[in-house]
Amino acid sequence: KGSLQPTINNLENVSSDLATSVHRQQSAIASTKDELAKHRSTLQDHGKALEFYQGLRVDLATWMGALRELDGMVSLAEEAQRRWEVDVTWKKLERFFEWGEDCTSVLEKHGLLESKFTCA
């Protein structure tokens, strides 16, 4: 028994080291599984956020297209308003000159006009 004691002690030490190593490996596996679950959860959250932002991007693209179309329509309306204002201004000027000619004609008929200036 005495000659086997060192071998038994050696085997007990190896067994103890092996048990400690197995415990460390199990702990590392549990830690890795926890990290994996955490990363999967984070990835899932990022996926949801990405889907949200992709939807938002599509909505923004739709709105930008609509705004460009409205901008074109507003430009056309502004151009039409500018042409209308030009037309109204010319009509007002024509009426003003016609009024001046009418006034001149009335004054001339009654002999109250001393001189007359005409535009060519």
Side-chain angles (χ1 to χ4, degrees), residues 9-94:
N9 287 342
N10 192 20
L11 288 174
E12 286 174 350
N13 286 340
V14 168
S15 175
S16 174
D17 289 346
L18 186 58
T20 303
S21 176
V22 166
H23 181 69
R24 265 189 264 125
Q25 289 298 324
Q26 288 174 340
S27 197
I29 288 171
S31 175
T32 302
K33 285 181 180 178
D34 288 344
E35 279 187 47
L36 178 61
K38 178 182 164 191
H39 289 300
R40 281 184 176 159
S41 174
T42 301
L43 185 60
Q44 188 176 17
D45 290 343
H46 285 265
K48 289 176 185 175
L50 180 62
E51 287 175 18
F52 170 77
Y53 285 111
Q54 284 292 81
L56 185 60
R57 185 178 154 268
V58 168
D59 290 345
L60 284 174
T62 301
W63 276 102
M64 288 303 295
L67 288 173
R68 282 189 191 103
E69 191 172 330
L70 281 174
D71 183 48
M73 291 177 183
V74 167
S75 294
L76 290 173
E78 287 175 337
E79 178 61 24
Q81 180 182 4
R82 187 193 62 77
R83 284 187 305 221
W84 175 78
E85 288 173 349
V86 166
D87 189 44
V88 167
T89 301
W90 277 111
K91 286 183 181 177
K92 284 182 181 180
L93 284 173
E94 287 172 352

